[in-house]
Every structure is written in C-alpha cells, then in structure tokens.
Amino acid sequence: MFKHWTQRSLRSWVTLGIALTVLPLVASIVIDHLLIDRGVIADFQDVAHRQRTVLGPVQELRVLLWEGAVPVNEYLDARAPDEVENFRAHRVRIEATFLELERALEGDAALAALLGRAMEDWRSADQLANDIFATKHAADESAAIALADRFDARVAAAADRLKAIDTAVERAIERDHDEAMRFYERTEWVTAIALLISFLCMGVGVYAIGRILVSNVERLVEGARRFAAGDRSHRIEVELPPELRQAADEFNTMIHRIHESEAALAELARKDPMTGLGNRRAFDDAMVDAFARMRRLDERVHLLAIDVDHFKRVNDTYGHAAGDEVLRVVAQTLAANIREVDRAFRIGGEEFVVLLVGTDLAGAKIAAERLRSAIAERPVATGAAGAGTVEVTASLGIAVSHEKMQPADLLAEADAALYLAKAGGRNRAVHAPDVRTGEVRAADAPAKNEPSE
C-alpha cells in the first residue's frame, strides 16, 4: 500500500492534502503547489535542460576543437595523408555539434551571436587547415608554419568564445538557483501557515506532505548550490515525488557528463597522441610518486632510458611516416612486454623511459634485456614502395635510485648509462656503474647481428 502511494505524482499528494486539511486549507495548499511546481521545479528543469542542450555540447565542442587541431600540427611533421582524413573526421563532428548548439540557442540572441562568431572562427581555421594540407613539400615549410600559427589562433579564439558561452549559461543557472531560493523561502512561509492551520484541523496529513516536499526540494537547492560552487562529485538523491526525482536525475546526468568532459581534457594533457603512452608531464608526476613511495617504504626506483638506434637514418631513408610507424611499434612493444605495475612513457622524439616497480637491479636488467630483444625481433613495415620492412634496435640505460637522489638525478643517471650503451655499439642494455667498474653482465653483453652505422 505504501509503495503504491510513493509512486503517485505530486498532484495526487496535493489532492490528498486538500482532502485531509478540508476547505479552510484549500487556498494555502494550492499556493504551495504553485510555488513549488512553477518556482522551484520549473527552475531546476530549466537548469537540467541548459546542461543537457548547451553546457554538455559546449564542453564536447571545446574538446573536439583541440582534438581537431592535433592532426593539422602532426601533418606538418610527417605530411601523412592519414592526418588529413583524421582532421576531416573531426570536422564532421565539430560542425554537427555547432549545428546542435545553434538550435539550442535560437531563443537567446546574445549567445546565438557569440556562437555565430565562434563558428566564423572555426570556418577560418578550417580554411587555414585546407591551405596547410595543400603544402606537401619541404619548400613550403615556412609558409605552412605561418598558416599553422594562424590556424591555432583561430581555434583558440573559437574555444574562448565557447568558454564565454559556458560562463554565461553558468551565470544563468546561478540566477535560476537564486530565483528558486526566493520561491522556496516563500513556500516555507506558506507551509508554516498551512502547518499551523493543519494542526487545528488534521496536522498529520499536512506534516507528511511537508516532510516529503521540503526535504527533497532542499536536496535540489543544495545540489544546485554545490554545483554553482564547483562541486562536480555531488549527486542529488530524491525519491519522492517522481517529478522532483526526474529533475534530480537530469541534474545528476548533466554533472556526470561535465565531469567526464573535464576528465577527458585532463587526460589529453598527459598522453602522447602518437603512441598512446604517457607523455613527459605524466612521467614527471609518476617519478614524484615513485620517489615518495621510495622514502615511505624504503624501496628503490629502477628506471630504463630507451633510445631507438639510428632513428634519424630511418626518417632520412624511408620518410617521416615510416619514422612515426617505428615509434608506434616500439611503444606497442614496450607496453606488451612490461608488467602491469610498470609504466612506459614517451618523453620526446625517439626517447622512451620505463619506470619499474617492486624489483631489484637483477630484475631491472632482465626486464631491459627482454625489451631490447622484443624490439630487435619485431621489424617494422616502412610503407615506402619496394622498401619492405626495416630492422629496428634500441639502446637502453639502467639506473637505480639511492637515498639522496632526486628524480632529475635518476633520469640523468639513466641517460648516462644510455650514452654508454650507444657508445659501446648500440643494441644493448647498460647499467652505468657496471661499465665503470669493468664488470660485464648479461644485460651489458653485446647483441649479435648489430647493424653498423
């Protein structure tokens, strides 16, 4: 019986209240209903609508704009046709999202005009991208770079205008919140009067209605306040009535989407777009965490510095597209041949590092030799006509932290060992202290069939 009543609408509960409080309370209950339905629920439904139709697409569009800029800049490095297709795929999504926002902002002339200027910036950027893609030869490099600077500026301008739309909508949401608060305060006064009259008539009925409505409206108001303050993790829990529960669910869904968009932006800033490995920023953060763990648990940090041998020769002989493929294959090989607890990063050019966790020097050498062998045993298709595959090798430097060492010192130690590996003939893994003391161990032994310079 109780479950049946919990599924009833707000109108049914108000009707029951009217029946319980008899004729003297009809006016106060109707006023309560109007204030809540029109002054609070409508505002929160408007908030949910704005988040679904404007804030979410704006966040998504900003991400798409910056993602669309990546293939244009990558094209300057490699002149790869795949980057042109990648950009065109992003362009379709960007223009579709612009149209979606244009429809959503039809009733707001100011924001629609701002969106129109953002679209103009995007169209200018799109034209510049086409001009960049038309520069296919090295002789056009300076012109392409100038076009790229203008392209990035247009993309940034479009993103800034979208940010302005985002800010304006957030302010509108805050105004709706304030309006809802004023209606809520009026509702409290009316509810207080109704409760007083209900006590003289039938206090139990009005008490039940007031408890259901007030508690859930407070949750909605509190949720809106915390959202306006920047809390993206808060979720509103509303069971009754269904209208308020629907508004709360829409509110929660929009917050989740905004949180995902922000998380996606943060993740893009920490990932190397070519290989999918962590970038230098992610590596620096991981090193700070590893050294904190070392000092807390008295563990050593083991680092492998990895450099692809003769990488410039690959670029000069087979082209930058082949060089990019070599980097991707090496990254895949590293990721496939390390433990789940270890982490691989690309920190620049053909330079990679692997951070080893929970091992010792012997284990680090075994891991280094395993990676060296795996890279050497995986030839890479160049994609050049008649060129077939290219044999790829890598040199590795092994470094181990000590108590007084800082993260930068450990990386420098690994680079020093890597230098010794390259100076010793390449395609080998070297632990610098072993070489300096004259010891040669399994990880330092010269590899067979080493390619000559």
Side-chain angles (χ1 to χ4, degrees), residues 224-293:
R225 186 190 66 78
R226 294 180 65 169
F227 174 78
D231 185 355
R232 300 293 191 265
S233 62
H234 180 66
R235 295 294 180 269
I236 300 174
E237 299 295 336
V238 173
E239 293 299 330
L240 294 172
E243 291 91 342
L244 289 181
R245 183 173 66 243
Q246 181 181 2
D249 290 343
E250 291 285 348
F251 191 90
N252 292 336
T253 299
M254 291 304 103
I255 292 178
H256 178 69
R257 290 178 179 173
I258 291 171
H259 182 72
E260 286 183 339
S261 297
E262 291 173 343
L265 287 171
E267 182 64 20
L268 281 175
R270 295 171 55 84
K271 183 174 290 187
D272 175 47
M274 179 183 295
T275 63
L277 299 180
N279 59 15
R280 182 58 186 260
R281 177 183 297 180
F283 168 66
D284 290 340
D285 292 343
M287 285 283 279
V288 171
D289 293 341
F291 270 74
R293 179 183 176 87

Side-chain angles (χ1 to χ4, degrees), residues 2-39:
F2 177 76
K3 184 177 181 180
H4 170 74
W5 278 103
T6 60
Q7 302 302 318
R8 301 298 295 272
S9 67
L10 176 62
R11 196 175 301 276
S12 298
W13 282 99
V14 172
T15 301
L16 175 63
I18 293 174
L20 294 175
T21 55
V22 296
L23 292 177
L25 297 180
V26 170
S28 63
I29 292 176
V30 170
I31 293 173
D32 272 346
H33 170 67
L34 293 176
L35 287 176
I36 292 170
D37 190 56
R38 299 181 183 178

Side-chain angles (χ1 to χ4, degrees), residues 55-328:
L55 285 184
V58 165
Q59 291 277 353
E60 179 184 0
L61 186 53
R62 292 179 67 202
V63 172
L64 287 173
L65 285 174
W66 290 117
E67 287 181 344
V70 171
V72 175
N73 289 285
E74 291 291 339
Y75 179 83
L76 291 177
D77 294 333
R79 296 291 194 273
D82 290 345
E83 299 299 343
V84 178
E85 294 304 320
N86 190 9
F87 174 78
R88 288 173 177 169
H90 278 87
R91 178 172 59 194
V92 171
R93 296 174 60 194
I94 289 170
E95 291 178 354
T97 308
F98 265 121
L99 289 176
E100 179 183 345
L101 277 171
E102 193 173 35
R103 289 192 294 268
L105 296 175
E106 285 179 349
D108 192 325
L111 294 184
L114 191 57
L115 179 66
R117 290 194 292 273
M119 293 175 67
E120 292 174 1
D121 290 328
W122 161 246
R123 292 189 182 104
S124 298
D126 182 38
Q127 182 58 51
L128 289 168
N130 290 329
D131 294 342
I132 291 171
F133 293 142
T135 60
K136 301 178 185 280
H137 305 288
D140 300 325
E141 186 69 20
S142 60
I145 292 174
L147 289 172
D149 291 338
R150 293 171 58 194
F151 169 83
D152 290 337
R154 290 297 87 203
V155 171
D160 288 342
R161 297 189 195 282
L162 291 173
K163 178 62 178 176
I165 293 174
D166 186 279
T167 301
V169 174
E170 293 240 2
R171 288 174 180 169
I173 290 174
E174 186 174 353
R175 288 194 298 271
D176 287 344
H177 162 262
D178 294 338
E179 184 68 15
M181 285 294 297
R182 286 192 291 272
F183 274 97
Y184 174 63
E185 291 171 359
R186 297 169 191 170
T187 302
E188 286 188 319
W189 281 103
V190 174
T191 302
I193 295 172
L195 286 174
L196 179 61
I197 299 175
S198 298
F199 182 77
L200 300 175
C201 301
M202 286 189 176
V204 175
V206 174
Y207 172 76
I209 295 173
R211 182 177 180 182
I212 292 170
L213 295 180
V214 173
S215 63
N216 288 303
V217 168
E218 285 179 341
R219 292 180 184 179
L220 286 171
V221 173
E222 174 65 12
R225 186 190 66 78
R226 294 180 65 169
F227 174 78
D231 185 355
R232 300 293 191 265
S233 62
H234 180 66
R235 295 294 180 269
I236 300 174
E237 299 295 336
V238 173
E239 293 299 330
L240 294 172
E243 291 91 342
L244 289 181
R245 183 173 66 243
Q246 181 181 2
D249 290 343
E250 291 285 348
F251 191 90
N252 292 336
T253 299
M254 291 304 103
I255 292 178
H256 178 69
R257 290 178 179 173
I258 291 171
H259 182 72
E260 286 183 339
S261 297
E262 291 173 343
L265 287 171
E267 182 64 20
L268 281 175
R270 295 171 55 84
K271 183 174 290 187
D272 175 47
M274 179 183 295
T275 63
L277 299 180
N279 59 15
R280 182 58 186 260
R281 177 183 297 180
F283 168 66
D284 290 340
D285 292 343
M287 285 283 279
V288 171
D289 293 341
F291 270 74
R293 179 183 176 87
M294 177 189 76
R295 296 185 177 96
R296 186 173 66 253
L297 303 178
D298 194 25
E299 292 183 354
R300 291 290 177 261
V301 180
H302 297 75
L303 184 67
L304 307 181
I306 305 165
D307 192 271
V308 179
D309 294 332
H310 307 301
F311 183 72
K312 184 176 184 300
R313 181 191 299 172
V314 175
N315 279 334
D316 293 343
T317 304
Y318 303 104
H320 287 283
D324 291 347
E325 183 62 19
V326 167
L327 294 179
R328 281 189 284 268

